Amino acid sequence: QVQVVESVGGLVQAGGSLRLSCAASGRTFSPYAMGWFRQAPGKEREFVAAISWTGGNTDYADSVKYRFTISRDNAKNTVYLQMNSLKPEDTAVYYCAANLAAKLTAVVYDYDYWGQGTQVTVSS
């Protein structure tokens, strides 16, 4: 069992930056991959970024590549999502998730545990 809790999001102007964090607790002694997803009103949940257990491998959605950076600190059981050059279309509820198969994947159903989500709003 892994509990996942995201930090509070926020409101930011277009072009600004925001960093989300995600703390994992519970079965943290086992290797697991982590991912960030987001869901805008009326839309399906979509992949944003993922990172392997060691942090050596990452994957990004094309829409956020070169703007967002995912990283992790296993000593703190925390994953981060640094978001730069934010756009209004980045507005969504952002979710952090853990994949106990330690698989770097963009598929929602591959993730076993999810946080409650945190709102990120980008104003134009």
Side-chain angles (χ1 to χ4, degrees), residues 20-108:
L20 301 179
S21 61
C22 168
S25 61
R27 200 184 114 180
T28 55
F29 55 87
S30 296
Y32 54 94
M34 295 293 294
W36 285 97
F37 291 77
R38 65 187 183 187
Q39 188 166 15
K43 294 188 176 181
E44 292 188 352
R45 192 167 298 189
E46 65 174 8
F47 171 72
V48 175
I51 188 166
S52 63
W53 168 249
T54 63
N57 292 296
T58 57
D59 189 22
Y60 296 92
D62 288 343
S63 59
V64 305
K65 201 172 290 185
Y66 311 121
R67 298 189 299 121
F68 290 12
T69 302
I70 188 171
S71 61
R72 69 189 296 166
D73 182 345
N74 287 345
K76 297 181 179 179
N77 296 321
T78 301
V79 176
Y80 304 96
L81 184 68
Q82 177 66 44
M83 303 183 292
N84 299 328
S85 302
L86 282 161
K87 305 175 181 180
E89 50 263 45
D90 293 318
T91 295
V93 176
Y94 283 70
Y95 296 90
C96 180
N99 172 6
L100 299 186
K103 177 180 167 184
L104 200 67
T105 173
V107 178
V108 170

